[in-house]
Amino acid sequence: MKNIVFQALADAARAGEAVALGIITGVKGSSPQKVGAKALFYRDGRIKGTLGGGCLEAEIQQRAIQSLRSGEPETFDLLLDHDFGWDDGLICGGKVFGVILPNAQKAGAQFWNELAQRETTFAWGVKKDFSIAHADPALTSDLSPRTFLYEEIVTPPCALWIAGAGHIAQAVAPLALQLDFDVTVFDDRPALANRDFFPDEVSLQVGEWEKLCALPLPDVPSFALIVTRGHRHDALVLKDWIHKPFLFLGMIGSSRKARTIFEHFAEEKIATVDEMARVVCPVGIKIRSQSVPEIAVSIMAQFIEKRAELVGEKQVSTAAKVELV
């Protein structure tokens, strides 16, 4: 899924439209947003992205529009105390640091488009002279804090492979896209694995399961969900996917189903005890879900939790190194 702020910057660069970029570069205590949060401010009052909403965002928006008029960048240092946040309920008690960059679109459409697409690892930052610069990802951790106010490494999204194109997959896939997974759906039924049921952003792989299961994983942290049309097909996919280096592998069904499949795998020496222990079945957190959308929510809630735990919260989309300004 494209980053909306970076994509808007690329669009503004192509259109020659002046915009101001606001970035939270540091936080102390509680705050409505984290380091790396971004918002793009337009002269007409539009905002893309968010720095937390409410009074905080309104204050930064006012400063951003002023910076567009003056052409002068600035830093901000705001205390979210009783006096500042009472009207909007933002009495967090924390402190938020950040930077406002007028005419950020001048870094160029190609620069921002690379960040929006996230096809490769891309390092960039804001220097102390407020210029926007590209950096070598391998060297970012060694960059001098005397040079950069803010540094960030943008990485490709985690992959989510879904075996099965039925009603559960049809609900999970678009939700997973919104949650910043790169989604691929696999099935042997062209009647289901097509654009009538899945958005364009979802990759579709259709064919015989033996060939589909032989496909290699992408070179990014990968997760898997098995929701085919029955136990036999689930076991067929699991027989191969259980050996792949997924960070998390979930399968729909009951505990009894899992025991039946695992007993067969053990008898046939298809998988080791450790490999079978990595498979989560039933998949999804317990929220008493009944409808298909509820089941999709329960599944993706677990995948979000595991992504944060196994990949690291900051590495889901970015890894930032900052100096408080």
Side-chain angles (χ1 to χ4, degrees), residues 13 55 57 60 66 88 104 107 140 171 177 184 188 219 238 271-272 277 292:
C55 56
E57 195 160 275
I60 298 171
Q66 179 57 40
D88 292 295
T140 300
L177 285 175
T184 302
D188 60 348
D219 190 23
L238 184 62
T272 66
V292 170

Side-chain angles (χ1 to χ4, degrees), residues 238 242 257-267 276 279:
L238 184 62
I242 200 170
K257 168 186 173 178
R259 284 196 303 272
T260 302
I261 292 176
F262 293 159
E263 286 170 3
H264 171 68
F265 278 20
E267 289 172 3
M276 289 185 283
V279 181

Side-chain angles (χ1 to χ4, degrees), residues 1 3 6 110-124 134-138 152-158 182 219-221 315-319:
M1 185 177 181
N3 179 288
F6 293 146
Q110 182 177 351
F111 180 91
W112 294 119
N113 194 58
E114 281 191 69
L115 286 166
Q117 297 292 334
R118 293 171 56 198
E119 294 177 353
T120 60
T121 298
F122 190 107
W124 71 290
H134 178 253
D136 184 342
E152 179 177 82
I153 300 175
V154 175
T155 60
C158 294
D182 185 7
D219 190 23
V220 296
Q315 293 178 342
V316 170
S317 59
T318 63

